[in-house]
């Protein structure tokens, strides 16, 4: 997941494993449950 865009680039990047629960901060403000993504790996 890329975050903190600045001048056309992202300042940070985080990786998560399939199956992790990932919270996206505001303004998106949702929680992704990635367990189902294992079907596509």
């Amino acid at each position: 997941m890329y975050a903190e865009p600045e001048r056309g680039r992202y300042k940070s990047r985080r990786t998560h494993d399939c199956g992790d629960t990932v919270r996206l901060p505001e303004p998106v403000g949702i929680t992704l449950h990635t367990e189902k993504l294992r079907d596509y790996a």
Side-chain angles (χ1 to χ4, degrees), residues 11-32:
K11 292 171 48 177
S12 68
R13 180 182 75 159
R14 289 177 239 154
T15 59
H16 301 276
D17 291 328
C18 286
D20 286 352
T21 298
V22 180
R23 172 84 180 128
L24 299 180
E26 295 299 332
V28 178
I30 63 171
T31 300
L32 296 174

Side-chain angles (χ1 to χ4, degrees), residues 27-39:
V28 178
I30 63 171
T31 300
L32 296 174
H33 302 281
T34 64
E35 182 67 32
K36 189 69 175 163
L37 295 176
R38 290 177 188 226
D39 294 345

